[in-house]
Amino acid sequence: MTLMDQIPNNVDLGSDKKLMRALMRWQPDFLNWWRDMGPEGFQADQVWLRTAISVEANGWAHYDYVKMPDYRWGIFLAPAASETIGFGDHKGQPTWDEVPGEMRGVLRRIIVTQADTEPASVEQQRQLGRTAPSLYDMRNLFQVNVEEGRHLWAMVHLLQQYFGRDGREEADALLRRRSGDADTPRILSTFNERTDDWLSFFMFTTFTDRDGKFQLSALSESGFAPLARATKFMLTEEAFHLFCGEQGVERVLRRGAELTMRDPNGDARKHGGIDLETIQKYINFWYSSSLDLFGSEISSNAADSFAASIKGRHRESRYDDHQALNESYSLPVIEQGRVVNQTVPLRNALNEVLRDEYVKDCERVMERWNASLAETGTDFRVSLPSRRFRRTVGLYSAHTFDPQGNLISDAEFRARKNDWLPCADDYAHVHSLMKPVYEPGKYASWIAPPSKGVKGQPLDYEYVKRT
């Protein structure tokens, strides 16, 4: 079997012998990484998965049972949307099919950083199959995992084809780093966080994968056409990851509200559920961690990437000025112990512009979750903390704030931390509920069933055939 038989693609692998040899050398290392760091204990099971076999509407979502090590990780570029660059100093010029020499370093850094997040999330989630609340949820977890693996292939293809020896070395390093490892951690801190319970997984796919959505959207505008086309296709799969998170948290909230109202003292924990206050703490943790992924509010790197036409804005076509030269942005900063507004050139605030879009999208998620809570009859509502809360990157990282964004002392933060963020008791309770439910159509007590199955299948479908 040739590499082309194993790897569905629309990048004409067969015509580039050098690239084929590089990928053939990398593939066994990838499979070894997958067996060592992918879902532990389920490599021999048949999982009902969606596989992309082409970019056409009838080709990118083929469903069938497959063992995960046999999954066909493909390399796909979406069709070219434009032959001219749409923003930055190179606006109106032809897009690049090769890497411009002067942009080689920054493009490689951006691709490597994006690529590093893909295997990291698989490593973070590798134990979750052992405590899956249903076969439906287990199947969704594994779908997310194999698609993150495919996204890694997409980025490695760019590194191998366009960056020579440097790209090959970077591709190898992607398989050596490990999430949470003290010596060789993943590049971004959020991808070193423990994700060893299902509420964390649902929060991760709601908030952290949503960061991925906006980063990929900005890169899909790139003047480097192969990067733009690769990330645009990745976005078609990213939507499912967000669905897993949003629907998962909504189901946990619904069951938590039902159990809260069942108990005379409003204690969902007594009935095997996760209380709503703990769910809010998880929101505070994962949302604030994911905000850091956008980088500093004022960034010369962001300005340079936009100027070089490497990374645009989310849905760049919506803007009137695609060079962002004559506009400014006002943002709150801390001066002499108080919050004041500072105006900066728009290009230097493009991280914050992208974060604004992310925050608005998260607010829409809160509205949907609160509508679901309202249907249960509870008065409890979830909310997002201030974007200044618990930040470790950017303007606010040197100060402490409460969830409303008020500047407070370090001592006050420490005193109230357990009111705002999951504490040892919260984690212990959530972990105590993480018991596997492997019977088709059955669900753990702490989560409500979904409203429908996957791709028209019934809720009691055997989504994973255990060996």
Side-chain angles (χ1 to χ4, degrees), residues 55 140 164 172 180 203 207 211 262 274 286 307 313 315 326 349 361 371 375 405 432:
V55 298
N140 286 351
D172 292 342
M203 294 293 175
F207 294 115
D211 160 77
R262 179 186 302 176
I274 303 176
W286 283 102
R313 290 170 286 191
R315 297 178 181 173
N326 302 312
D361 208 35
E375 291 175 359
S432 74

Side-chain angles (χ1 to χ4, degrees), residues 367-379:
E367 291 173 3
R368 290 192 287 271
W369 287 349
N370 283 328
S372 182
L373 282 172
E375 291 175 359
T376 69
T378 183
D379 293 331

Side-chain angles (χ1 to χ4, degrees), residues 50-71:
R50 176 182 73 183
T51 304
I53 58 177
S54 74
V55 298
E56 288 75 27
N58 63 350
W60 76 270
H62 175 74
Y63 288 82
D64 203 353
Y65 284 104
V66 63
K67 295 179 182 178
M68 284 184 283
D70 299 332
Y71 187 82

Side-chain angles (χ1 to χ4, degrees), residues 24-95:
M24 287 177 71
R25 185 188 64 81
W26 189 80
Q27 185 186 39
D29 294 336
F30 169 81
L31 290 174
N32 287 335
W33 167 82
W34 179 268
R35 292 187 182 98
D36 291 343
M37 300 305 297
E40 186 175 279
F42 299 89
Q43 302 288 356
D45 294 342
Q46 296 280 352
V47 187
W48 200 65
L49 293 174
R50 176 182 73 183
T51 304
I53 58 177
S54 74
V55 298
E56 288 75 27
N58 63 350
W60 76 270
H62 175 74
Y63 288 82
D64 203 353
Y65 284 104
V66 63
K67 295 179 182 178
M68 284 184 283
D70 299 332
Y71 187 82
R72 298 180 70 207
W73 285 279
I75 299 171
F76 297 106
L77 302 184
S82 174
E83 295 182 355
T84 59
I85 297 170
F87 69 94
D89 292 349
H90 301 277
K91 182 183 183 305
Q93 298 177 16
T95 55

